[in-house]
Amino acid sequence: MGSIRGNIEEPISQSLTRQNSLYSLKLHEVQTHLGSSGKPLGSMNLDELLKTVLSPAEEEGLVRQGSLTLPRDLSKKTVDEVWRDIQLDKNGNTTTTTAHKQPTLGEITLEDLLLKAGVVTETIAPQENVVNIASHGQWVEYHQPGQQQGFMPYPVCEMQEIVMMGGLSDTPKAHGRKRVAGDIVEKTVERRQKRMIKNRESAARSRARKQAYTHELEIKVERLEEENEKLRKLKEVEKILPSEPPPDPKWKLRRTNSASL
Amino acid sequence: MYVRRTSFKDSDYIRKDCERVKKYICLLSRGDPLVVGRVVGDVLDPFTRLVSLRVTYGQREVTNGLDLRPSQVLNKPMVEVGGDDLRNFYTLVMVDPDVPSPSNPHLREYLHWLVTDIPATTGTAFGNEMVCYESPRPPSGIHRMVLILFRQLGRQTVYAPGWRQQFKTREFAEMYNLGLPVAATYFNCQRENGCGGRRT
C-alpha cells in the first residue's frame, strides 16, 4: 500500500500499516511478537493483552483512534475463556465463516478475536468512524501542510479500515466494506487522473492551434510585404522611366561603320 | 533613351526570388502550420507544396488555422487550383479528422466533399463533384477541416467511397495512385455558440 503514495507519506503510512498488521497478526504470532515477557497468551486478560499489544503502537502516537473500549465484563476474561465463548457461539448460530477463520486459538487473528468477542458494538462504530477520520484527517494535514490534496484519501481510507476492524461485529461484512471503501477511493483517483490527462491533451491542442495560426499569419504578412515592396518599386520605375515594351527582333538594316576610313 | 525593362531587372529579380524562397523555406522549417496543427501527422504524410490552392468562403480566404463558424461555411467555397498544364487533373478532398470530438476522434475522418477531374488552373466548378459538399456542423469541440489537393495520374481514375465516415485519406490516395498531396490547407470550426473550449 505504501507504494502508491509518494515519499512524503512514508512516516505516517508506515505506522498505519504497522497498526494494521498488528490486528491481522495471528495470535501465535502475537505471542512471539511480545516475546517471553509476561504470562502466556492464553491466560492473559483481554485488558492486559490489548495493553501489551498496543503499547508499541502507542509510542507512535497514533493509537488514540484505534483505542478500543473493552466492555467491563470482557476485559477481565482471559483469552482462553473468550475463545471458548467464541467456539460455543459459532456452533450455536448459522453465520457463514470466511475462509480465514481458523479453528485453533493460535491461528485466529487478533482482529477476528476482538470482533468475535464483540469488543466494540456496532452502534458506536459509525459515529466513531466519522469523528475519527475527521480529526485524524486534520491531524495529518496539520502535520504535512505542504502535501497535495491527492494524497489525502489514503490516510483517510486507512483510518476507516482500522476503526472498522474494531467496530463491526460481522466480519464478512467488515471485509466487504473495507474493500468497497478502497475501491471507491481508487475509482475517484482514477477518474481524477484521467481528467488530468484529458485536460493536458486539450491544452496541448489549444497551444498547437494558436501557434499554427500565428505562424501562418506571420508567413502571410512576410509574403504580402515583399509583394507590396516589389509592386511599389515597379510603380516608381514606371514613373521615372517610361519604358517601351521590348521590341520584336525584326530584321532591320542598319547603317554602321564597318570600315575605319 | 529607352531602356529595356527586362535587361537590368532580370538578375535583380532572380536574386530576390531566391532570397524569398529561401526565407519561405526557413520559416516553414521553423514550423509549417500544417505540421504544428498536426494535420501532417493525423491526416497526411509530409509533402511539398507544388501547386497553389486558394479556398474562399464568400469574402474570406482560408488561411491555415483560421476560425470559421458553421454559418460561414454553409455553402461550398470557391476553390482555385494552380498548376500550368491543362492536361493535368486534380482531386480535392475535404475531411474532418476530429470526429466526433477532438479529444476522442474514434470516427476519424469524415468526408465532407470530393471533387475529381479538376483541370489545372481552374477550379472545382470545372471538376466532377463525386461526393457533394456537406457543410460542417461539429457537435462538440473545435474541429479541423482539412482540404487536400492531389494530382491524378489520368482522367476518370478516381471513384467515390461508399460512405463518409471512417474515411482514411492516406488509404484513399494509395488506392487511386494519387501519391503525396500537392497542396493542403485547413481551418478550425466549432459550434455556432461555442466558447472556444473555455468554460464560462
Side-chain angles (χ1 to χ4, degrees), chain A residues 195 205 208-209 211-213 215-216 218-220 222-223 226 230 233-234 237-238 242-244 246-247, chain B residues 2-3 5 9 13 16 20 23-24 27-28 31 33 36-37 63-66 102-103 142 186 188 199:
Chain A
R195 192 143 232 296
R205 256 183 285 119
R209 206 171 25 236
Q211 282 170 13
Y213 190 46
H215 205 55
E216 173 75 18
E218 284 171 1
I219 294 174
K220 208 173 185 187
E222 178 122 8
R223 225 185 312 146
E226 287 192 22
K230 180 170 112 183
K233 284 233 175 89
L234 221 61
V237 170
E238 274 292 331
S243 51
E244 286 269 317
Chain B
Y2 295 115
V3 181
R5 214 186 325 156
K9 289 296 182 187
Y13 275 103
K16 278 217 154 172
R20 195 174 341 130
K23 246 193 250 178
Y24 193 69
L27 272 176
L28 283 186
V36 175
T63 47
N64 291 323
L66 177 70
S103 53
I142 303 179
Y186 81 102
N188 293 314
R199 291 173 199 268

Side-chain angles (χ1 to χ4, degrees), chain B residues 36-105:
Chain B
V36 175
R38 299 307 306 144
V39 169
V40 167
D42 293 343
V43 184
L44 307 172
D45 293 323
F47 68 95
T48 325
R49 289 167 176 76
L50 297 172
V51 175
S52 70
L53 176 69
R54 242 174 85 106
V55 181
T56 320
Y57 276 101
Q59 291 289 64
R60 276 179 210 88
E61 187 185 336
V62 169
T63 47
N64 291 323
L66 177 70
D67 276 301
L68 293 170
R69 297 283 166 141
S71 57
Q72 299 168 317
V73 297
L74 269 179
N75 301 310
K76 66 176 87 160
M78 183 175 69
V79 177
E80 293 160 66
V81 171
D84 38 22
D85 194 341
L86 270 171
R87 288 170 296 177
N88 285 329
F89 294 94
Y90 295 90
T91 295
L92 179 81
V93 180
M94 177 168 167
V95 293
D96 177 356
D98 297 327
V99 285
S101 135
S103 53
N104 183 16

Side-chain angles (χ1 to χ4, degrees), chain A:
Chain A
M1 258 184 262
S3 57
I4 330 175
R5 301 185 228 156
N7 288 329
I8 329 162
E9 275 289 299
E10 277 319 302
I12 296 173
S13 66
Q14 273 172 5
S15 31
L16 285 178
T17 43
R18 220 175 291 137
Q19 195 161 8
N20 248 354
S21 57
L22 270 178
Y23 284 106
S24 44
L25 279 178
K26 304 225 172 89
L27 281 189
H28 62 76
E29 290 172 338
V30 176
Q31 173 101 71
T32 42
H33 191 79
L34 298 176
S36 51
S37 58
K39 309 186 208 168
L41 203 65
S43 41
M44 264 184 155
N45 290 339
L46 280 184
D47 231 357
E48 291 173 6
L49 173 67
L50 283 169
K51 275 206 200 105
T52 32
V53 164
L54 294 176
S55 53
E58 192 87 39
E59 280 164 14
E60 309 294 344
L62 289 167
V63 186
R64 71 174 92 151
Q65 302 310 327
S67 57
L68 306 163
T69 47
L70 288 177
R72 198 59 67 77
D73 49 319
L74 274 184
S75 60
K76 292 306 160 205
K77 278 189 179 171
T78 65
V79 176
D80 276 340
E81 288 171 352
V82 172
W83 177 243
R84 239 178 290 128
D85 288 342
I86 293 170
Q87 295 288 64
L88 290 170
D89 224 10
K90 232 200 292 183
N91 294 333
N93 57 28
T94 52
T95 49
T96 51
T97 54
T98 55
H100 52 275
K101 277 291 161 302
Q102 301 303 327
T104 62
L105 179 59
E107 286 298 299
I108 198 174
T109 62
L110 190 59
E111 132 206 350
D112 287 344
L113 178 69
L114 293 169
L115 286 163
K116 278 287 156 183
V119 170
V120 182
T121 59
E122 196 173 1
T123 49
I124 307 170
Q127 287 98 311
E128 232 181 359
N129 273 0
V130 175
V131 173
N132 289 343
I133 290 163
S135 51
H136 185 259
Q138 280 170 353
W139 183 83
V140 171
E141 213 161 335
Y142 168 77
H143 244 249
Q144 313 243 333
Q147 224 169 316
Q148 276 180 28
Q149 269 311 108
F151 287 126
M152 275 312 294
Y154 289 102
V156 171
C157 170
E158 291 288 343
M159 286 324 300
Q160 279 180 324
E161 287 179 21
I162 290 162
V163 178
M164 270 190 247
M165 267 200 291
L168 301 170
S169 56
D170 198 11
T171 328
K173 212 195 322 182
H175 285 279
R177 240 189 259 180
K178 234 194 295 178
R179 234 178 282 128
V180 167
D183 278 347
I184 291 173
V185 168
E186 235 178 83
K187 270 192 211 136
T188 42
V189 168
E190 211 181 289
R191 222 175 291 151
R192 199 175 298 147
Q193 280 176 341
K194 259 193 233 161
R195 192 143 232 296
M196 221 165 33
I197 294 169
K198 247 191 173 182
N199 193 274
R200 204 172 293 150
E201 287 172 2
S202 176
R205 256 183 285 119
S206 173
R207 280 194 300 270
R209 206 171 25 236
K210 187 177 178 177
Q211 282 170 13
Y213 190 46
T214 36
H215 205 55
E216 173 75 18
L217 289 179
E218 284 171 1
I219 294 174
K220 208 173 185 187
V221 163
E222 178 122 8
R223 225 185 312 146
L224 288 173
E225 275 181 348
E226 287 192 22
E227 197 183 331
N228 206 9
E229 184 77 24
K230 180 170 112 183
L231 290 171
R232 262 188 225 279
K233 284 233 175 89
L234 221 61
K235 208 168 119 187
E236 286 296 315
V237 170
E238 274 292 331
K239 251 189 236 168
I240 298 171
L241 305 160
S243 51
E244 286 269 317
D248 307 322
K250 260 195 287 185
W251 186 253
K252 277 189 184 153
L253 280 171
R254 292 172 300 161
R255 221 182 283 179
T256 50
N257 271 350
S258 48
S260 50
L261 288 172

